[in-house]
Amino acid sequence: MRPILKNMSNTTFTMIKPDATGKGYTGAILDRMIKAGFAIKAMKWTRLTKEQAGAFYAIHKERPFYGELVDFMSSGPIVAAILEKENAVADFRKLIGATNPAQADQGTIRKDFAASVGENAVHGSDSDENAIIEGNFFFSQLERF
Ligand code: UDP
Ligand code: MG
C-alpha cells in the first residue's frame, strides 16, 4: 500500500520541448526517461499559448532570453509529464544534462537531442517545490495515476 502522504521528493516534472517534438524525438526521449527508471504518473501532448508559456516561465521574466523562450515554447507541441523515481529531481537533472548542450555530459538527453542553449529539447524541474508547482500547472488530480 502506498502511504497517503506521498513523498514529493520522489517526483519531478518534465516537458519535451517544441524543437524535440518537431524533430520526431518524442519516442526516443521518453524511452531514455523510462530506461533510466522514471515512471510516468501523468502525461499529455499539448501546445502552450504565449500567455501560458509566459506564466510557466514567469520566474525568468527579468532574464534577457525571456521573450525568445516564450516564443519558442509556444511555437509547437510539447509533451508534459510528471515522473516518479527515488531522488527524482536531482537524478532527472543528471539525465538531461547541462542547460547548454555544448556543456552537457556524454549520454545525456540534451547532449544527444538538443541543438542550442535555447532549444534544448527538455525541461526538468530544479527543486521539489517547483516540481509540485509545475506539475499542478498542467495536471489535475484526476489525470495522475
Ligand atoms: N535559456 C535560454 N538562454 C539562456 C538560458 C536559458 O534560452 O541563456 C532557456 C532554455 O530553454 C532553458 C530555459 O531558458 O532550458 C530555462 O532556463 P534555466 O536556467 O532554468 O535552465 P534549465 O533549468 O532548463 O536547465
Ligand atoms: Mg530551470
Side-chain angles (χ1 to χ4, degrees), residues 60 93 123-124 126:
H60 293 308
R93 294 290 303 201
H123 169 83
D126 63 5

Side-chain angles (χ1 to χ4, degrees), residues 5-20:
L5 287 171
K6 281 199 262 175
N7 180 354
M8 294 309 289
S9 72
N10 287 344
T11 73
T12 191
F13 171 80
T14 188
M15 288 184 285
I16 301 176
K17 297 186 179 184
D19 58 321

Side-chain angles (χ1 to χ4, degrees), residues 3 60 65 76 84 99 118:
H60 293 308
F65 56 81
E84 186 175 76
T99 306

Side-chain angles (χ1 to χ4, degrees), residues 6-14 38-39 41 81-90 92 125 127-132 135 144:
K6 281 199 262 175
N7 180 354
M8 294 309 289
S9 72
N10 287 344
T11 73
T12 191
F13 171 80
T14 188
F38 291 88
K41 305 310 290 180
I82 295 172
L83 302 175
E84 186 175 76
K85 181 186 184 293
E86 216 173 277
N87 200 32
V89 167
F92 193 74
S125 304
S127 65
D128 293 340
E129 188 191 5
N130 284 334
I132 294 166
R144 304 173 191 220

